[in-house]
Amino acid sequence: MRKKQFALFLICIMLAVFVCGCAPKSEESTEYIGIVSAMDNEIAILLKEAKIDRVDTIADVEYHVGSLHGQPVVIARAGIGKIRAASGITAMLMKYPISEVIFTGIAGGVADETQVLDEVIATRLVEHDYGILSNNGFEWRSGDPGSGDEEGIYYDCDPELVKLAYDAAVEVVGEDHVFKGTIATGDQFVANSEFVEKLRRDHDAYACEMEGAASAVVCIKYETPFVVIRALSDKADGKAHDSYGNFGDIAADHSSSIVIKMLDHLKN
Ligand code: ADE
């Protein structure tokens, strides 16, 4: 009797193993590439070209789950600024198996040699507005207070993704229009030449925007490779608002085209 029960037990186990092996993998066992932006126009082309299977809404952010040029993707517009970027990416990394995060969008140009519609691929990011404001002025100090990182830190992007993004950008807009370097993040739309000079002097920044470093902090905490791709809509100076209005959509599309090119190369 015992032998019979044991044989039955063994058969059940073998059946279970067989059924699991043949069953299609559940969707959540697929690894997705996470693509995140701040604004709708920064993912417009991507959503148009993607095959979206479903849209999940978490905390007001829509996560478009599907495929783009043959790659499994989750695409989300997280919102403007550091808090929204951090919240949106955290939710994405908690909900889906994400192999890497690509942040795409626009920025203000900071380095002298950059022009509107050039591309900047971040090699590292910095929170330029994190620090101490005393009677002596603003002192930059990033990193968690008390963690030992208070001296000010830069967050490195994944070198392989940087190379992939750089090569893709060269293909899309040409080598003369692509730069690699530090991107400075803060919760301000910068339209002030003096401040641009400070970002250049203090951080050797190539561009400024409002989400990159926040995305970096979250991705580093979750041990997920990431890169930030930004096309310049303006030069963050007194003409920034007009320039942003005139070139924002075109710049957003350029960065999206670079993401698509990256996906094509990731396939090979
Ligand atoms: N995004 C696009 N232009 C910007 C600017 N000048 N400052 C901050 N974020 C931006």
Side-chain angles (χ1 to χ4, degrees), residues 233-249:
S233 57
D234 59 89
K235 284 284 290 176
D237 54 10
K239 292 185 250 157
H241 281 106
D242 283 347
S243 183
Y244 172 90
N246 292 331
F247 298 105
D249 286 348

Side-chain angles (χ1 to χ4, degrees), residues 108-110 128 188-201 208 234-241:
V110 172
H128 69 71
Q188 302 138 357
F189 182 88
V190 179
N192 179 314
S193 307
E194 265 179 46
F195 194 73
V196 168
E197 177 57 39
K198 183 173 161 49
L199 291 178
R200 226 181 274 148
R201 202 177 47 239
C208 62
D234 59 89
K235 284 284 290 176
D237 54 10
K239 292 185 250 157
H241 281 106

Side-chain angles (χ1 to χ4, degrees), residues 35-40 42-43 59-63 76-89 103-104 187 209-212 214-215 230:
I35 303 173
V36 185
S37 76
M39 299 184 295
D40 285 329
E42 293 169 322
I43 51 167
D60 270 352
V61 174
E62 291 183 343
Y63 295 84
R77 190 266 294 143
I80 298 173
K82 291 194 292 180
I83 295 171
R84 289 166 190 81
S87 166
I89 293 176
F103 199 105
T104 178
D187 279 313
E209 37 83 303
M210 302 174 68
E211 298 82 21
S215 314
R230 295 287 191 176

Side-chain angles (χ1 to χ4, degrees), residues 118-129:
D118 284 346
E119 284 290 334
V120 179
I121 311 300
T123 51
R124 60 179 195 167
L125 295 117
V126 58
E127 292 177 89
H128 69 71
D129 60 350

